[in-house]
Amino acid sequence: MNRIRRVFGVTSLALVGFVFGCFAEDSGECGAGAPCPQRGEACDDASNTCEPQALDVDATGPEPAPASFTETLPFFRGTVCAATNIQPGDKIPVHIEMCVDPCINANGHKFKSQYKCNGTVCEAVLVVYLPDAVGTNCPADAFGKFPKANCQTVTIDASAGPLSTQSTGAITGTGTLELPFLTNSDVKEIADTNNFDAVWGVIYRYPQDAGRVFSLSMNINNPKAPADCKDKSKCTCKEIGF
């Protein structure tokens, strides 16, 4: 049975979680009621077949970036630490050191988390973003892969889960936690909606990047999850997007 659970991620404001299901015909054909099963594919209306999309994942917005702007900016690059070996029912703390260009004033941050479970295997995602970030006198690559040495760090403490369902309770099993690639317009779309299916649809526009994924173990023999990952030795850390 496919079990789906909604979760809520909260910073200074209350935010909602999301769930989504994706199905397609075994023939590989697509159309109304049968979206493409693979991430990063789109349905060709003429042939009703799934085709890979030509996607640019090297920047979250236009290059050159405008010199001045107010944008909702997604997490693109930085250091992320997450508790990955936890006990069933534990909340998953995540510590993010988000890299932004020094021309950007963050004006706060938000996050949304969601997950779905199929038996004892779960998929969780965490969407982290800066609402109404202001850029002033920005360089052309402000939304892209500017030199790492130029990073200004925005520190964000977030969470996902706990991974559980009403029918079975806390999940004992395995899973993944992903911080997906999103563009500025993608994350604005997510920020502006409470439609669970629509949010998963935005995330699934892009193939999964293994470098943005943490493997999870939920087992009673694991240590309890720490309250946070500020002490990085208690969590698994990755540099993402560099």
Side-chain angles (χ1 to χ4, degrees):
M1 176 181 294
N2 188 53
R3 305 186 183 98
I4 298 177
R5 175 76 170 180
R6 301 176 183 177
V7 239
F8 290 81
V10 180
T11 54
S12 58
L13 297 175
L15 300 167
V16 294
F18 319 92
V19 289
F20 173 79
C22 183
F23 305 95
E25 299 174 5
D26 291 339
S27 66
E29 294 181 353
C30 56
C36 293
Q38 302 298 323
R39 291 179 57 167
E41 290 185 342
C43 189
D44 184 291
D45 292 336
S47 64
N48 291 112
T49 58
C50 295
E51 302 292 342
Q53 297 184 79
L55 300 169
D56 181 2
V57 295
D58 290 329
T60 67
E63 292 188 289
S68 299
F69 56 82
T70 300
E71 288 273 3
T72 299
L73 299 181
F75 170 81
F76 179 40
R77 301 192 299 165
T79 300
V80 179
C81 299
T84 54
N85 295 301
I86 60 176
Q87 292 188 0
D90 284 352
K91 182 178 287 189
I92 304 167
V94 185
H95 180 76
I96 300 135
E97 295 174 359
M98 179 173 172
C99 166
V100 298
D101 191 275
C103 73
I104 293 171
N105 184 359
N107 290 325
H109 58 265
K110 295 183 180 180
F111 71 88
K112 294 184 178 185
S113 66
Q114 68 181 36
Y115 68 85
K116 56 184 178 180
C117 297
N118 186 358
T120 61
V121 180
C122 298
E123 177 186 4
V125 292
L126 180 65
V127 176
V128 177
Y129 57 100
L130 310 179
D132 300 320
V134 176
T136 305
N137 296 322
C138 287
D141 59 359
F143 298 142
K145 294 186 174 181
F146 52 81
K148 182 179 178 181
N150 293 354
C151 285
Q152 172 179 269
T153 297
V154 179
T155 300
I156 302 167
D157 287 300
S159 64
L163 308 182
S164 64
T165 68
Q166 290 183 343
S167 59
T168 62
I171 297 294
T172 297
T174 59
T176 57
L177 172 64
E178 177 183 1
L179 281 82
F181 170 83
L182 297 166
T183 65
N184 300 351
S185 58
D186 291 333
V187 80
K188 184 67 164 60
E189 191 175 345
I190 287 174
D192 288 346
T193 185
N194 293 331
N195 185 306
F196 307 139
D197 289 1
V199 173
W200 274 106
V202 173
I203 292 168
Y204 274 28
R205 288 172 185 165
Y206 304 93
Q208 189 177 70
D209 180 348
R212 293 177 167 271
V213 178
F214 292 83
S215 295
L216 303 176
S217 167
M218 293 80 70
N219 191 291
I220 192 64
N221 295 319
N222 289 335
K224 288 287 292 180
D228 57 55
C229 288
K230 294 176 183 177
D231 180 350
K232 296 179 181 179
S233 67
K234 296 179 179 179
C235 297
T236 301
C237 296
K238 287 189 174 191
E239 283 201 336
I240 293 176
F242 293 108

